[in-house]
Amino acid sequence: MRFPSEKAVEALRKQYPVGARVELVHMDDQYSKLKPGDRGYVEHIDDAGGLHVRWDSGSGIALDFFEDSYRLVTAEELEAEKAQAEQTQEENEDEESAEENRKIQIVRSAI
């Protein structure tokens, strides 16, 4: 097993700080369910250069310094992701409100 130099690990920690948003570009792991485009947050980087990520999918698999390809999510992408999440939340709230109104109408019509 290969290990990155101490200097390389420190550079990796600076480039991918805890809490940074990352996206998987490529992983050659037949047992992983992750796929290119999956995103998550950096939890920590170990001394072997393993980038430990809490993936949105719930996976906790680490990225390998030598084997995997990944990148930081840009500020613009973060803004777009945030806007999409807010829109989805609003749509879900609208659907819940509409469902509640339907139930009220059913109860009222039964009275």
Side-chain angles (χ1 to χ4, degrees), residues 21-100:
R21 191 88 165 124
V22 294
E23 180 176 286
L24 179 66
V25 175
H26 175 77
M27 176 182 272
D28 194 21
D29 182 342
Q30 65 183 4
Y31 301 107
S32 174
K33 293 182 180 177
L34 294 174
K35 57 190 177 308
D38 283 351
R39 291 182 175 182
Y41 293 94
V42 175
E43 291 187 321
H44 73 281
I45 297 175
D46 62 33
D47 291 338
L51 194 92
H52 295 261
V53 177
R54 175 54 48 202
W55 297 98
D56 294 350
S57 64
S59 176
I61 194 167
L63 296 168
D64 183 275
F65 179 80
F66 292 106
E67 300 296 325
D68 303 320
S69 299
Y70 44 91
R71 67 179 189 84
L72 281 174
V73 175
T74 66
E76 293 82 13
E77 290 170 318
L78 287 172
E79 281 299 315
E81 192 175 80
K82 181 179 176 184
Q84 178 63 41
E86 289 172 355
Q87 180 180 356
T88 300
Q89 182 177 356
E90 288 174 8
E91 290 170 358
N92 289 342
E93 288 171 358
D94 289 346
E95 288 176 16
E96 289 171 7
S97 179
E99 180 63 23
E100 188 174 316

